[in-house]
Amino acid sequence: MTVRRDFQEPARCRPDLLIGREELFATARDQLASGGSVLLHGPAGIGKSTVLRALAEEYGATARTVLRCSATESESHLPFLALADLLGLVLDEVSPRLPAAQRTALESALTGRGESSLQRDGLALRLAVLSALRALAAEGPVLIVADDLQWLDPASAELLGFAARRLEGTPVQLLCAVRTEGQESQEYDRHLRACPPDTVAVRLGPLTHVQVARLLDHRGHGCLSRSTVREIHRTSGGNPLFALELGRALADSPTPPRPGEPLPVPTSLRALVLSRLDMLSVEARRTLLVASAGARPTPALLHAAGRENAEAECAQAAELGLLATEQEAPAVRFAHPLISAALYAEAPAQERRAAHAALSTAASDPIERARHLALATTGTDPEVAARLAEAAALSRDRGAPSVAAQLGLLAARHTPADSAPSPDERRLQAAEDAITAGEVDLARDIAREVLTRATVPADRVRAWIIVIDTAGHTMAEVDAVFPQALADAGDDPRLLALVHYQLAWRALIVEGDFTEAREAAAHAAGLAERGGDRRTELLALAFQAQTETLMGHPEAPRTIKRALKEPQDPRVACHHNGAGSARFRWLVMGDQLAEARGTVTALLREVRRRGSVESEVHFLRGLAETELRAGHCGRALELARESLRLARDSGIGETASAMLTSLAEASGGDVDRALALAREAVDHAEEDGDQMYLSRALGALGYAQLVAGDPAGTVRALRRVRRLELGLGITDPARGRWHGDLAEALVRIGEPAEAQDVIDTSREHALRLGRESVLGVLDRAEALVRAAHGDQEAAVAQLTSAQDRLAKLGYGLEEARAAFALAQLRTRRPETGQRRVTAFDEATRLFRRCRALPWLRQVDEALTAPEPEPARAVPDALGGLDALAALASMERQVAALVMEGATNREIAARLFVSVKTVEATLTRVYRKLGIRSRVDIVRLAAARRAK
């Protein structure tokens, strides 16, 4: 292989580091693997060179010869320079194989010895390049790697294009990259025509917000707040080079940008995007500055701000490529967001204030007017602060909490120290708005700043609550906050209620103690009632109701009614921890799916109107869960994925959303992705010390493993869930709905006795609480136990009944699973192939109706599997010394522990099963071995060892 030393690739270009380019990388790699060529194109900084180097590193290993060139703008006037890069190192190898005239022309062009030009030696040079590439290809595959085709010297570009168009049928491939500004770029068309006919053009587009966040984190800028990363993504337009430069500048900056102002743009990017700014007139530049300061600039707004010749000056800027030209759009739009930010950063502070002052009277929206007034004002000003506070309240009402947070911080900055409300009160309101907007890092920073100087107990407790709130499910990390918050609260019942409400959450999330959580919530509600804080009282009652619901506590319905009593607080009514959410959970667990769907849909609509990100993530999950229960797997998957995207974007509820999306993927999407998401959720819950969601995540993992055909994995995961929920005090089987899956998996691995124990225990609670759908699923699982014992007729009857029961309740997927189990049971009897297919028709129809693709694949596998042998009943006794080896897995484990002298209770603890299960297992062991007691097991084992 021929590779120039200066083109060796650094490790950072490995394909696994191509963040956000995985799909197009795979497309390009497949094209190269099939013998074709690839042209990467896109704007400056979009990552073409990175992808090109990674492809060359991976695919270059398959070529005998790799020829490379990388042109620069400063060298593009030098003729034949790129050709020299490509063929210089192989000239001695190919020269002897060229005709004399071609050899002379090529050597002159590449070495500079003698005069050579396209005008003088055009045909000979063209044929020489073509012949040289064919000669190399005769020895093995050739890969030509050319970066920045737009800077190739014209002579080299012409020769390379001539050869490329004539290399069909030879093992020569091109891997090139060229800068283009648009999909319809004429330059792009010209370069594509110069490539081989089988070339695939791959355009690199902007990265998403999540991909920019990953890129910044990978390059060591993970310390930046989420709100800052969002602004970097907006300003960079998803361009990775721009995003990295902005991130580097912000990470190195000692002071963060002021609220409401564009990001500071580093000098490197200013020079890159404003190179044409000097060609503007002074007045046109001022007009663009006003436009960059405005949120939604239009020619009319610029006129109102005193820019009389706005249209002509904007037209001049558009000709220079600074503004986008859109005939029908009234807005003045910059060609790239970075141009606006760089133009603003380049302007002196006095000119920026003047632009904001002009816009403070020209803007029609009161929120915009207030923002511009603040940015045009220096120092404190109570009138300006009041207008900003009013604008923040208006933004809150409009469902724009992020804007309200920015305006609140501006209001605090302009508020005199002795004013009422105080600067700190306004900062804390801004922090609470930031939490609503999903900007938890900003809220935490504001609260901690207030705590460094605040002395008023109410302000300090309010700040502590914000710190706790922003911890989310990582509450264990802020344990030290609670004693300080209680000390600051003193004897004030209103402040104590706030802290005890958070202590209730801590008891649930960190300690996993539902009883303690319920008692703490009830105490918080009582304190809030004494203090006249209806909002905290309602939140505490709703939390108490949700806890009681999950516990299967008889007081749950009564507590829900108390939480729904008037007067209501509109902020709590639609809050994800409010009474509406508690009622939704009660409806879902009580099989009232239609009413639950209507309730959560209304809640979702309201929180979206309010701009509450955390509540939106929560209710998206709730709606997805409802659709999943109803068997609408495709719709559930869409909603779950949307919830997960929003959760990852905001950093809120990622564990819960990953868990729910795993369930949806296993039901209607990709099982491998379901397994990955469930394991991610388990890892996060364990890292966070989140006992509540750990059991839910393990439940999702167990279900995904069952769908994936790993019943042993399901048993391991769901046995942990059983133990966890026993410790948590959760008795309602409708909470996680894992019981039927565990019983089914236990039957599959040969443990029907333990499966029956799970069914019996769960059925007792389901009957007490009236959980009809759970009873239907348990009936389905019990039918499998009966079939395992050889009672086919009873199993068929029970499965038929379970299917009908689940259908009437509207549980489409569970109904389909019952039909599938019934088909599998019926095909155990000797039947013709056609009858076997017919037996699965009903399951196929129901799974298709649900769009349950992974389950449909299981039906296909069942249809193509070998004919099963007829089921046989378990023999009553086996007898003999060899019978130990014939015991089922669970039976052997119990017998081995008996031989070690373990009691039934010790065996139950070690195997994570009940004592009742151990006793039932021992009974089966005695029967199979023809013995009567534990002593006989030890004797039988001793006799076997003696042999």
Side-chain angles (χ1 to χ4, degrees):
M1 183 189 295
T2 305
V3 183
R4 279 186 49 175
R5 185 180 302 276
D6 56 338
F7 287 118
Q8 295 291 335
E9 307 307 331
R12 64 183 178 85
C13 294
R14 295 199 316 270
D16 61 321
L17 302 183
L18 293 174
I19 294 170
R21 305 301 189 198
E22 296 84 359
E23 188 173 339
L24 63 85
F25 183 87
T27 299
R29 181 175 53 195
D30 292 345
Q31 170 68 3
L32 291 170
S34 67
S37 297
V38 173
L39 176 65
L40 305 169
H41 68 106
I46 204 67
K48 303 180 298 296
S49 297
T50 303
V51 175
L52 180 133
R53 286 195 296 266
L55 284 166
E57 181 179 2
E58 179 173 309
Y59 191 71
T62 66
R64 175 187 178 272
T65 306
V66 180
L67 307 175
R68 300 174 183 263
C69 70
S70 183
T72 62
E73 185 177 10
S74 61
E75 298 173 340
S76 60
H77 65 286
L78 300 174
F80 305 122
L81 183 62
L83 191 66
D85 281 342
L86 287 170
L87 298 177
L89 294 180
V90 296
L91 182 61
D92 292 343
E93 180 182 346
V94 299
S95 286
R97 300 187 229 178
L98 302 181
Q102 293 180 25
R103 182 169 59 250
T104 301
L106 185 60
E107 289 176 348
S108 297
L110 297 186
T111 62
R113 295 192 297 268
E115 295 183 4
S116 182
S117 67
L118 281 178
Q119 287 74 27
R120 176 179 168 183
D121 304 311
L123 181 59
L125 267 175
R126 288 176 172 83
L127 293 175
V129 172
L130 180 59
S131 299
L133 292 175
R134 284 174 172 164
L136 291 170
E139 301 298 323
V142 177
L143 178 65
I144 299 174
V145 182
D147 199 2
D148 284 318
L149 283 184
Q150 73 277 3
W151 303 134
L152 252 64
D153 62 274
S156 296
E158 167 62 27
L159 293 170
L160 186 59
F162 175 87
R165 291 189 296 271
R166 291 164 175 79
L167 285 170
E168 189 173 1
T170 62
V172 178
Q173 296 170 264
L174 268 66
L175 173 58
C176 307
V178 62
R179 179 184 301 179
T180 57
E181 294 303 325
Q183 191 80 2
E184 306 301 326
S185 169
Q186 293 181 351
E187 286 295 302
Y188 156 70
D189 290 339
R190 179 172 65 83
H191 288 293
L192 187 59
R193 286 195 297 271
C195 291
D198 61 353
T199 301
V200 165
V202 178
R203 178 168 178 79
L204 279 71
L207 299 180
T208 65
H209 164 259
V210 173
Q211 290 165 349
V212 166
R214 286 174 54 205
L215 178 66
L216 290 168
D217 184 55
H218 174 68
R219 296 299 177 89
H221 304 311
C223 58
L224 295 170
S225 68
R226 289 182 182 272
S227 54
T228 301
V229 171
R230 274 194 290 272
E231 190 60 22
I232 288 174
H233 177 255
R234 188 197 66 78
T235 302
S236 68
N239 185 296
L241 172 65
F242 297 171
L244 285 172
E245 288 298 310
L246 287 167
R248 187 177 296 113
L250 286 164
D252 295 341
S253 175
T255 56
R258 294 166 62 185
E261 290 189 349
L263 295 180
V265 180
T267 305
S268 58
L269 289 184
R270 293 188 202 182
L272 178 63
V273 300
L274 297 179
S275 56
R276 289 161 285 189
L277 196 63
D278 292 338
M279 301 174 69
L280 281 175
S281 66
V282 174
E283 291 302 314
R285 185 165 179 157
R286 286 176 180 165
T287 295
L288 288 194
L289 175 60
V290 175
S292 71
R296 293 175 296 277
T298 63
L301 178 65
L302 296 177
H303 273 295
R307 307 311 303 164
E308 297 178 357
N309 299 315
E311 286 88 349
E313 289 158 355
C314 286
Q316 182 187 358
E319 289 178 4
L320 294 172
L322 295 168
L323 294 179
T325 54
E326 296 180 5
Q327 299 295 331
E328 299 179 0
V332 175
R333 192 169 66 83
F334 286 87
H336 193 282
L338 191 62
I339 296 174
S340 173
L343 181 63
Y344 187 91
E346 190 82 1
Q350 185 175 355
E351 290 186 17
R352 284 188 279 186
R353 285 197 296 271
H356 286 296
L359 289 167
S360 69
T361 58
S364 59
D365 186 81
I367 294 174
E368 278 301 296
R369 287 200 301 270
R371 186 179 75 87
H372 290 302
L373 180 61
L375 295 175
T377 306
T378 57
T380 60
D381 187 322
E383 184 179 345
V384 171
R387 286 184 58 182
L388 284 163
E390 291 172 3
L394 182 57
S395 297
R396 207 173 297 122
D397 291 341
R398 289 182 179 179
S402 181
V403 175
Q406 287 188 8
L407 292 169
L409 289 175
L410 287 170
R413 196 174 74 195
H414 290 287
T415 301
D418 56 352
S419 293
S422 69
D424 280 345
E425 286 180 272
R426 283 181 165 151
R427 288 188 182 93
L428 291 170
Q429 178 61 64
E432 288 164 357
D433 286 330
I435 290 176
T436 302
E439 299 177 6
V440 292
D441 44 8
L442 175 60
R444 186 187 305 112
D445 292 344
I446 295 170
R448 292 200 178 278
E449 180 194 350
V450 169
L451 285 166
T452 60
R453 58 173 177 271
T455 57
V456 178
D459 289 349
R460 291 188 62 79
V461 171
R462 192 175 172 188
W464 287 126
I465 297 303
I466 290 169
V467 171
I468 295 168
D469 267 343
T470 55
H473 283 256
T474 60
M475 263 192 171
E477 297 178 4
V478 293
D479 256 358
V481 166
F482 289 99
Q484 300 176 72
L486 286 169
D488 284 330
D491 297 326
D492 188 332
R494 190 181 184 93
L495 299 180
L496 284 169
L498 293 171
V499 182
H500 280 277
Y501 173 64
Q502 296 294 342
L503 282 168
W505 277 105
R506 184 194 175 280
L508 185 63
I509 293 173
V510 179
E511 301 298 334
D513 191 330
F514 274 67
T515 301
E516 183 183 343
R518 175 180 176 268
E519 291 171 356
H523 183 49
L527 287 168
E529 185 179 13
R530 281 171 47 201
D533 182 357
R534 182 61 173 163
R535 180 175 187 272
T536 302
E537 181 188 3
L538 290 170
L539 283 170
L541 285 171
F543 178 79
Q544 181 184 343
Q546 294 228 41
T547 306
E548 289 172 349
T549 298
L550 296 175
M551 294 171 68
H553 198 285
E555 287 293 314
R558 191 173 303 147
T559 308
I560 291 175
K561 288 180 181 178
R562 287 179 61 199
L564 290 169
K565 283 179 67 174
E566 297 294 338
Q568 285 290 315
D569 185 317
R571 294 172 298 170
V572 177
C574 65
H575 193 274
H576 57 278
N577 290 326
S581 181
R583 181 172 180 272
F584 160 72
R585 179 55 50 196
W586 177 261
L587 291 169
V588 168
M589 294 177 69
D591 300 324
Q592 300 177 60
L593 296 183
E595 193 173 350
R597 183 186 295 109
T599 299
V600 75
T601 300
L603 289 167
L604 181 59
R605 187 186 307 115
E606 179 61 18
V607 297
R608 279 175 166 166
R609 187 188 70 79
R610 291 174 176 269
S612 178
V613 173
E614 183 171 7
S615 293
E616 182 178 357
V617 171
H618 181 90
F619 291 131
L620 276 170
R621 285 200 306 270
L623 185 53
E625 179 185 353
T626 307
E627 299 293 1
L628 198 58
R629 298 278 171 249
H632 305 152
C633 299
R635 175 65 174 151
L637 186 56
E638 291 173 4
L639 290 163
R641 286 173 175 172
E642 184 181 354
S643 169
L644 184 59
R645 282 194 299 269
L646 189 55
R648 286 184 168 159
D649 187 26
S650 61
I652 296 173
E654 292 183 77
T655 300
S657 293
M659 177 274 298
L660 197 280
T661 308
S662 171
L663 290 172
E665 291 282 0
S667 298
D670 185 310
V671 179
D672 289 337
R673 179 164 169 75
L675 289 166
L677 286 169
R679 290 185 178 115
E680 174 190 325
V682 170
D683 291 345
H684 284 177
E686 289 180 327
E687 289 169 12
D688 296 343
D690 186 346
Q691 297 296 306
M692 185 172 66
Y693 268 109
L694 178 57
S695 65
R696 297 294 306 276
L698 284 167
L701 177 60
Y703 174 66
Q705 288 169 321
L706 185 68
V707 179
D710 179 14
T714 297
V715 169
R716 285 193 299 271
L718 298 187
R719 274 178 178 163
R720 281 190 69 190
V721 176
R722 192 182 190 194
R723 184 163 54 93
L724 276 169
E725 292 202 352
L726 183 64
L728 290 168
I730 297 172
T731 60
D732 193 336
R735 188 246 183 181
R737 297 177 182 269
W738 47 266
H739 313 75
D741 292 336
L742 175 56
E744 180 175 336
L746 285 165
V747 171
R748 290 193 192 182
I749 67 167
E751 301 291 351
E754 186 183 349
Q756 188 64 56
D757 180 62
V758 171
I759 292 165
D760 291 342
T761 304
S762 306
R763 181 179 280 128
E764 180 182 347
H765 294 299
L767 286 168
R768 174 175 60 86
L769 296 167
R771 303 306 192 210
E772 289 294 322
S773 63
V774 173
L775 290 169
V777 169
L778 293 175
D779 281 349
R780 185 186 69 208
E782 189 171 49
L784 301 180
V785 174
R786 289 184 171 182
H789 286 298
D791 193 350
Q792 300 291 313
E793 295 302 324
V796 168
Q798 193 167 18
L799 275 174
T800 304
S801 173
Q803 182 182 343
D804 291 343
R805 187 177 199 171
L806 292 166
K808 289 175 183 176
L809 291 168
Y811 281 74
L813 182 58
E814 299 293 1
E815 176 196 358
R817 288 181 61 181
F820 183 35
L822 191 57
Q824 289 175 304
L825 196 57
R826 284 172 171 163
T827 55
R828 291 181 185 179
R829 304 168 183 176
E831 298 184 17
T832 66
Q834 182 57 42
R835 286 182 181 174
R836 190 175 186 214
V837 171
T838 305
F840 286 98
D841 282 351
E842 176 71 357
T844 301
R845 181 184 68 80
L846 292 172
F847 281 136
R848 281 179 180 162
R849 186 182 69 183
C850 294
R851 290 177 59 188
L853 303 181
W855 286 102
L856 279 169
R857 283 191 284 273
Q858 287 205 24
V859 174
D860 290 340
E861 291 171 6
L863 286 169
T864 57
E867 291 283 345
E869 295 182 5
R872 290 175 296 184
V874 177
D876 289 334
L878 297 177
L881 293 177
D882 291 336
L884 284 171
L887 295 176
S889 171
M890 182 69 165
E891 293 164 353
R892 284 198 302 273
Q893 291 179 63
V894 171
L897 290 171
V898 168
M899 294 173 198
E900 294 175 13
T903 66
N904 286 4
R905 188 169 297 279
E906 289 170 344
I907 294 170
R910 290 179 63 175
L911 297 180
F912 305 119
V913 296
S914 68
V915 174
K916 184 177 177 182
T917 297
V918 174
E919 292 170 350
T921 304
L922 277 174
T923 300
R924 290 200 315 278
V925 171
Y926 298 158
R927 186 175 66 246
K928 286 184 178 182
L929 300 181
I931 58 180
R932 294 183 179 182
S933 69
R934 298 162 63 92
V935 175
D936 290 335
I937 293 179
V938 177
R939 289 174 179 167
L940 196 60
R944 192 183 189 194
R945 284 194 296 269
K947 274 195 165 187

